[in-house]
């Protein structure tokens, strides 16, 4: 994982997001960055490390043999999926996209995929991988909703979700971290589900964060703000619902803790998603 992360961050110049273990068959997401612009273009990565993954060479690279369950999962994934193999002797990562063009069905009903020796995870990979992650605005928005589906379902089931934000206020890059977690209401810190490093430039976190979680209403986490010192944030009572930090102990980092509740968009998406997965087949009309 470490070598793949180094390749994504140092050689591609993109963002790397390790995924929780319950995301079957996906180890991380790579988010495309162009000239410090982040526009929600993501790739899902399955990462394998070690010499054992290079024991079946071909004239052009190495054969990777996934099982049928992984193939089914990857080809139906919300994001384009890439296999990344790290060769410890060469100290290089090699990659290949997983799709109908690269997958080959074997004579025994299995699957294999060629990971080319020429496809090193370095700057030369930026263009083809960026192209794979591309999509029109509609496609990218639907991808974001599908990726957020597990969190929407958690809210429906009564789980309390919060966002912890650390914003470096003196950085023109808008650098910060956003972490999504579960508040178990036991007095302990939230149990983290996912985290992201972001660069929002001069954009306001207060304006951008609700857009990043468009499927939810975003509000202050009541318990955190009730316990905070408000001297540095002299809001009028009528404005107290506005999003704002609860702490900045060093003058460098603003800390927020915000709560999510499912909004109309999130509820509507779950209904459409359930219909798409389980609903009756639509009538097909044949034109004469």
């Amino acid at each position: 994982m470490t070598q793949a992360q180094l390749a994504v961050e140092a050689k591609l110049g993109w963002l790397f997001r390790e995924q929780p273990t319950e995301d079957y068959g996906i180890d991380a997401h790579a988010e495309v960055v162009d000239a410090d612009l982040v526009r929600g273009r993501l790739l899902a990565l399955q990462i394998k490390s070690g010499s054992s993954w290079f024991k079946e060479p071909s004239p052009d690279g190495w054969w990777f043999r996934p099982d049928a369950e992984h193939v089914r999962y990857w080809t139906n994934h919300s994001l384009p999926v890439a296999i990344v193999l790290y060769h410890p002797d060469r100290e290089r990562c090699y990659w290949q996209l997983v799709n109908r063009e690269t997958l080959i069905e074997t004579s025994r009903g299995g699957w294999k995929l060629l990971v080319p020796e020429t496809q090193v995870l370095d700057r030369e990979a930026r263009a083809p991988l960026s192209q794979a992650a591309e999509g029109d605005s509609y496609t990218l928005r639907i991808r974001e909703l599908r990726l957020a589906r597990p969190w929407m379902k958690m809210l429906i089931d009564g789980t309390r979700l919060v966002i912890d934000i650390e914003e470096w206020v003196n950085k023109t890059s808008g650098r910060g971290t956003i972490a999504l977690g579960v508040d178990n209401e036991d007095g302990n810190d939230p149990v983290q589900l996912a985290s992201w490093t972001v660069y929002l430039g001069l954009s306001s976190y207060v304006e951008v964060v609700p857009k990043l979680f468009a499927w939810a209403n975003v509000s202050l986490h009541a318990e955190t703000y009730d316990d905070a010192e408000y001297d540095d944030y002299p809001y009028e009572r009528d404005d107290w619902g506005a999003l704002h930090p609860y702490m900045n102990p060093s003058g460098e980092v603003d800390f927020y803790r915000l709560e999510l509740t499912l909004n109309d968009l999130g509820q509507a998406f779950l209904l459409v998603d359930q219909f798409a997965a389980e609903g009756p087949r639509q009538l097909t009309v044949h034109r004469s």
Side-chain angles (χ1 to χ4, degrees), residues 9-189:
E9 294 179 341
K11 297 181 180 180
L12 298 183
W14 295 354
L15 302 180
F16 183 92
R17 305 176 180 174
E18 190 171 348
Q19 292 303 292
T21 54
E22 56 265 25
D23 192 352
Y24 174 80
I26 300 298
D27 296 310
H29 291 162
E31 182 164 10
V32 179
V33 179
D34 287 331
D36 294 330
L37 296 177
V38 179
R39 297 193 291 113
R41 292 168 296 162
L42 296 166
L43 288 168
L45 306 180
Q46 168 75 94
I47 302 167
K48 300 293 185 182
S49 178
S51 302
S52 61
W53 299 102
F54 297 87
K55 288 185 176 179
E56 191 175 352
S58 85
D60 299 314
W62 302 270
W63 289 111
F64 178 79
R65 295 182 182 268
D67 59 48
E69 191 170 358
H70 276 93
V71 168
R72 186 162 49 250
Y73 181 78
W74 293 333
T75 53
N76 288 291
H77 201 275
S78 305
L79 298 176
V81 176
I83 298 295
V84 176
L85 304 182
Y86 175 66
H87 197 303
D89 296 330
R90 301 187 181 194
E91 298 184 344
R92 285 183 174 181
C93 292
Y94 300 88
W95 64 272
Q96 177 62 289
L97 294 170
V98 180
N99 53 46
R100 299 298 181 184
E101 288 70 41
T102 58
L103 285 165
I104 299 172
E105 190 169 7
T106 67
S107 58
R108 296 186 178 182
W111 297 93
K112 65 179 182 178
L113 176 143
L114 180 65
V115 180
E117 188 173 8
T118 56
Q119 291 187 180
V120 179
L121 198 61
D122 57 17
R123 294 193 65 83
E124 297 298 318
R126 285 177 58 95
L129 290 179
S130 178
Q131 181 62 36
E134 197 55 81
D136 56 38
S137 296
Y138 177 90
T139 299
L140 294 176
R141 289 188 186 117
I142 295 299
R143 281 182 187 172
E144 290 176 0
L145 290 174
R146 292 182 66 190
L147 285 169
R149 176 175 50 195
W151 304 327
M152 296 184 207
K153 290 183 176 179
M154 293 176 75
L155 289 176
I156 284 285
D157 293 338
T159 302
R160 196 175 182 188
L161 297 184
V162 297
I163 309 167
D164 277 307
I165 301 171
E166 297 181 17
E167 177 188 4
W168 292 77
V169 294
N170 297 321
K171 302 286 185 180
T172 57
S173 64
R175 176 190 171 191
T177 60
I178 299 175
L180 179 67
V182 174
D183 179 7
N184 289 316
E185 302 183 67
D186 56 3
N188 295 318
D189 288 336

